[in-house]
């Protein structure tokens, strides 16, 4: 157990500095805006929605069905809310547990010596795990790997007890259940069933390729093939249910997510897809350049056979096939066992005997249980399993490296990424086993002590360098700004764009604008970046420039509802009401099919309808406004905050003198958000109009209490007091309102009028002069005092 403890401790120690990290990158959508994490959302929704909170059968769903991971996020949210510390802690602890389990599995292959420890330390320190552990959404890969190993360990127990103990069926049941759980953490978890079959055939039974066909004819191998049949049936059932549950349709992705999949050229798709596994293997071998995102042009497409990267592809597959061929053929007579050279099976190490190839060919597959008789009673006693040969371990390692990676190869369906480092979390187990068995083979072949020490020291240095790279990379994941800056050299368009969002949130406006423009320099048709730049310009009152970029965003992605929304708002504020109306109407007609985030789209459509209703309201078309508001209520998603919409519906009914309906919607507005100030004021006006003066006054005073800095609250309360002939109190409220909002013409002018009503003519004159300075061309004598509709 020392090797397991040391490996787990290293895995824990290397990631302790991530506990203070913030939410980064995909964490926002999977955690911050995911409605499935909220206590008011029924927990059963987790099993019907994808990883991002979208209904799994929706055409725009990512089809990432990971309910157990989402459930763990919900538990995190229930315990610690949105504090990222708790989320990171769970990730680090899960990684430590996976490292310990992997080291324990390595013991089955390498025995009790230091090779087991080396395999565990390699896995604990590998930098490719950083995204999975430091990025909270990577928990899906860690959780899948945890149950992957549990399933594999259960199947190992099943193999060792098969034919000798009834508990063997309990172990295979456990293997199946853990495989199902692994798939519910992440899709690739189901591949453990294939790995289990490889272990049974090539490691436990030590069969070679040419022996498999002859083994079919032997009755003693019926239990083997029965177990393989169970694995196959269960895997088929899991995949069938998974496909049915997601609506029998594959996901659809944008061309920027996976450019090769969108290419019209068969040659380009083929060459690129064959090259990508080579690039992934290089990241495992030399994880020097890592990035939070490898989409877009991070890996340029291979468009011709003459591309020099095809040499890498050819070398990769040639090496892979040769390694697999010699491992499956197993022709060497010289064996090594746990670091000791053996010939013809004479050497024994750590209680495990090793056999030559000729002995493997003639070796009968024996039960790992022996029977002995004590006092006339037969008992079963476990014999120590023989350690597998180097060839056996290589076959299993290659399977662990390749099979879990197959779903990411675009072989069966297109995936929504080019390279994703966290996808390599499970395959990295096979890589670590391959490195360990390779180092062991070199150590055995080395004849001189100096060479043996050199091999051993080189391996130790590799682990140290991996560990140092992991610590450095963890620093990039401390916050989003550092993460995005680190990715500029790999994916400049995506990195600069995301960096712009971060800088904008820090109020570094000029730097944010530069970042957005840098992103567009590398990829000019990014609708999100065009929209974000337009939003930045709009918030800084550069409306004509903002309109330009919104129109470019719409041209790049005609379904971008938020761009229509902000375009309409600018046009409405510029007095171009007809153009604004057409923009809002067009936005409201955009369907949410095949959209990556249908919830955000529905929110934008609802806001468009809300603003269209306001436009009709301001034009005095209250019936039209109500029709639009009702459509907005029908279309609004769960996460939309409806208080302003309900309040405006109340205002429309109020203008139509339909007071009961108005009161209903004012109450609904306050029910949805009890501190919504506009609803307090409008409801107070209605109560005053219907003679409920004392209740009305309470709502006006409550509005002031909620935000004492808003002059409008004092103004409405002052108007109420004026109508009640409480002139001195009304004048005090008017002065307070004018002091707080002394740059608002309506507030200052109405304050002057109320002071004049209270016969405070000198003070009234003062505020009339202030109003005149605010709007010099306004004819004050023609102005009638009124309060505008409250539409905050």
């Amino acid at each position: 157990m020392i090797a397991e403890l040391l490996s787990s401790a290293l895995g824990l120690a290397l990631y302790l500095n991530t506990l203070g990290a913030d939410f980064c990158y995909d964490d926002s959508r999977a955690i911050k805006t995911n409605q499935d994490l909220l206590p008011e959302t029924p927990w059963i929704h987790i099993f019907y929605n994808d990883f991002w909170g979208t209904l799994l059968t929706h055409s725009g769903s990512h089809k990432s069905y990971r309910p157990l991971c989402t459930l763990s996020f919900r538990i995190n949210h229930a315990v610690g809310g949105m504090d990222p510390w708790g989320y990171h802690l769970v990730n680090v602890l899960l990684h430590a547990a996976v490292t310990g389990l992997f080291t324990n599995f390595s013991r089955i292959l390498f025995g009790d010596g230091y090779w087991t420890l080396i395999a565990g330390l390699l896995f604990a320190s590998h930098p490719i795990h950083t995204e999975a552990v430091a990025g909270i959404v990577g928990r899906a890969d860690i959780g899948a790997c945890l149950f992957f190993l549990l399933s594999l360990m259960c199947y190992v127990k099943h193999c060792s007890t098969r034919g000798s103990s009834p508990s063997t069926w309990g172990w295979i049941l456990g293997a199946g259940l853990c495989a199902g759980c692994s798939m519910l953490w992440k899709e690739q978890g189901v591949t453990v069933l294939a790995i289990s079959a490889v272990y049974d055939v090539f490691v436990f039974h030590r069969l070679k390729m040419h022996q498999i066909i002859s083994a079919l004819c032997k009755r003693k191998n019926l239990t083997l093939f029965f177990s393989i049949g169970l694995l196959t049936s269960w895997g088929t059932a899991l995949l069938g249910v998974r496909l049915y549950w997601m609506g029998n349709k594959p996901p659809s992705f944008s061309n920027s997510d996976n450019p090769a999949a969108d290419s019209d050229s068969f040659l380009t798709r083929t060459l690129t897809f064959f090259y990508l596994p080579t690039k992934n293997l290089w990241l495992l071998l030399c994880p020097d350049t890592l990035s939070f995102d490898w989409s877009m042009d991070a890996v340029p497409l291979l468009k011709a056979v003459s591309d020099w990267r095809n040499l890498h592809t050819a070398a990769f597959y040639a090496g892979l096939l040769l390694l697999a061929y010699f491992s499956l053929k197993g022709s060497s007579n010289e064996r090594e066992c746990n670091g000791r050279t053996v010939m013809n099976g004479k050497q024994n190490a750590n209680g495990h005997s090793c056999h030559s190839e000729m002995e493997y060919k003639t070796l009968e597959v024996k039960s790992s249980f022996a029977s002995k008789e004590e006092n006339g009673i037969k008992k079963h006693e476990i014999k120590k399993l023989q350690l597998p040969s180097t060839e056996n371990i290589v076959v299993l390692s290659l399977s662990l490296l390749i099979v879990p990676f197959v779903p990411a190869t675009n072989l069966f369906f297109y995936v929504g990424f080019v390279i994703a480092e966290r996808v390599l979390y499970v395959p990295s187990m096979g890589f670590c086993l391959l490195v360990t068995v390779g180092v062991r083979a070199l150590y055995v072949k080395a004849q001189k002590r100096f060479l043996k020490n050199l091999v051993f020291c080189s391996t130790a240095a590799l682990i140290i360098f991996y560990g140092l790279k992991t610590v450095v990379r963890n620093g990039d994941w401390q916050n989003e700004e550092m993460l995005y800056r680190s990715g500029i050299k790999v994916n400049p368009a995506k990195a600069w764009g995301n960096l712009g969002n971060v800088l904008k949130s820090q109020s570094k406006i000029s730097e944010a604008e530069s970042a957005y423009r840098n992103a567009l320099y590398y990829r000019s048709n990014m609708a999100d970046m065009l929209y974000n730049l337009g939003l930045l310009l709009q918030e800084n009152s550069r409306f004509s420039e903002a309109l330009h970029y919104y129109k470019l965003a719409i041209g790049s992605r005609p379904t971008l509802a938020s761009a229509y929304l902000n375009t309409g708002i600018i046009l409405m504020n510029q007095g171009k009401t007809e153009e604004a109306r057409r923009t809002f109407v067009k936005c409201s007609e955009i369907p949410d099919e095949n959209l990556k985030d249908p919830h955000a789209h529905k929110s934008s459509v609802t806001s468009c309808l809300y603003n269209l209703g306001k436009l009709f309201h301001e034009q005095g078309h209250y019936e039209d406004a109500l029709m639009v508001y009702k459509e907005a209520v029908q279309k609004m998603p769960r996460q939309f905050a409806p208080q302003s919409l309900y309040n405006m519906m109340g205002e429309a009914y109020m203008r139509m003198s339909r007071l009961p309906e108005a009161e209903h919607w004012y109450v609904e507005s306050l029910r949805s958000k009890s501190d919504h100030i506009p609803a307090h004021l409008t409801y107070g006006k209605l109560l005053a109009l219907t003679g409920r003066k004392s209740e009305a006054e309470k709502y006006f005073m409550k509005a002031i209490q909620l935000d004492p800095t808003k002059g409008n609250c004092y103004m409405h309360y002052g108007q109420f007091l004026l109508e009640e002939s409480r002139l001195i109190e009304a004048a005090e409220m008017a002065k307070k309102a004018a002091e707080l909002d002394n740059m608002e013409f309506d507030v200052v002018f109405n304050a002057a009028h109320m002071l004049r009503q209270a016969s405070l003519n000198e003070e009234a004159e003062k505020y009339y002069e202030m109003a005149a300075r605010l709007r010099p061309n306004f004819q004050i004598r023609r102005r009638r005092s009124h309060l505008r509709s409250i539409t905050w």
Side-chain angles (χ1 to χ4, degrees), residues 198-204 206-207 209 212 328 392 395:
V198 170
Y199 171 84
D200 203 351
V201 173
F202 295 105
V203 177
F204 185 77
R206 296 180 170 85
L207 296 178
M209 284 300 295
I212 293 177
L328 291 169
N392 299 140
V395 170

Side-chain angles (χ1 to χ4, degrees), residues 25 187 193 406 477 595 611:
Y25 195 40
E187 298 78 8
L193 299 173
V406 166
W477 281 86
L595 297 181
N611 281 281

Side-chain angles (χ1 to χ4, degrees), residues 175-295:
L177 291 175
C178 287
C181 289
S182 183
M183 190 183 75
L184 293 177
W185 275 90
K186 192 168 184 180
E187 298 78 8
Q188 67 184 144
V190 72
T191 58
V192 68
L193 299 173
I195 303 301
S196 298
V198 170
Y199 171 84
D200 203 351
V201 173
F202 295 105
V203 177
F204 185 77
H205 281 86
R206 296 180 170 85
L207 296 178
K208 302 300 177 185
M209 284 300 295
H210 63 275
Q211 295 176 313
I212 293 177
I213 297 176
S214 60
L216 288 169
C217 305
K218 297 181 180 179
R219 291 190 61 183
K220 63 182 179 180
N221 290 325
L222 286 178
T223 54
L224 163 65
F225 293 106
F226 182 70
S227 297
I228 301 299
L230 286 176
L231 292 174
T232 304
S233 301
W234 182 236
T236 304
L238 287 176
L239 290 174
V241 171
R242 173 72 173 79
L243 184 63
Y244 168 78
W245 204 247
M246 73 180 194
N248 295 314
K249 292 180 181 178
S252 59
F253 303 103
S254 68
N255 61 350
S256 63
D257 292 331
N258 190 347
D262 195 59
S263 174
D264 294 329
S265 170
F266 175 77
L267 179 65
T268 298
R269 292 198 305 272
T270 302
L271 293 178
T272 304
F273 288 152
F274 271 105
Y275 170 72
L276 290 178
T278 307
K279 184 69 174 177
N280 280 274
L281 179 64
W282 181 251
L283 289 178
L284 287 170
L285 282 169
C286 183
D288 177 55
T289 302
L290 300 175
S291 176
F292 70 96
D293 192 288
W294 290 83
S295 62

Side-chain angles (χ1 to χ4, degrees), residues 468-488:
L468 290 174
K469 175 63 177 178
T470 296
V471 173
V472 171
R473 183 60 179 160
N474 285 340
D476 294 335
W477 281 86
Q478 286 298 304
N479 57 64
E480 289 190 305
E481 182 175 354
M482 296 176 68
L483 181 64
Y484 298 146
R485 288 191 185 279
S486 71
I488 289 174

Side-chain angles (χ1 to χ4, degrees), residues 8 28 84 187 198 205 243 300 308 313 404 472 505 549 724 748 763:
S8 295
S28 178
E187 298 78 8
V198 170
H205 281 86
L243 184 63
W308 62 271
T313 304
V472 171
S505 68
Y549 283 102
E724 293 297 300
V748 175
E763 292 188 72

Side-chain angles (χ1 to χ4, degrees), residues 78-154:
V79 173
M82 282 298 172
D83 184 357
W85 185 88
Y87 294 85
H88 285 294
L89 177 64
V90 172
N91 274 31
V92 173
L93 292 177
L94 283 173
H95 176 64
V98 168
T99 304
L101 270 176
F102 172 72
T103 309
N104 188 257
F105 176 70
S106 301
R107 188 181 299 280
I108 298 170
L109 305 177
F110 297 112
D112 296 326
Y114 38 74
W115 302 114
T116 295
L117 177 61
I118 287 174
L121 295 178
L122 276 170
F123 184 84
S125 61
H126 204 296
I128 205 66
H129 300 153
T130 308
E131 183 179 357
V133 184
I136 297 171
V137 295
R139 185 183 301 178
D141 296 87
I142 307 173
C145 192
L146 179 70
F147 281 93
F148 188 104
L149 285 167
L150 288 173
S151 176
L152 190 55
M153 297 292 282
C154 284

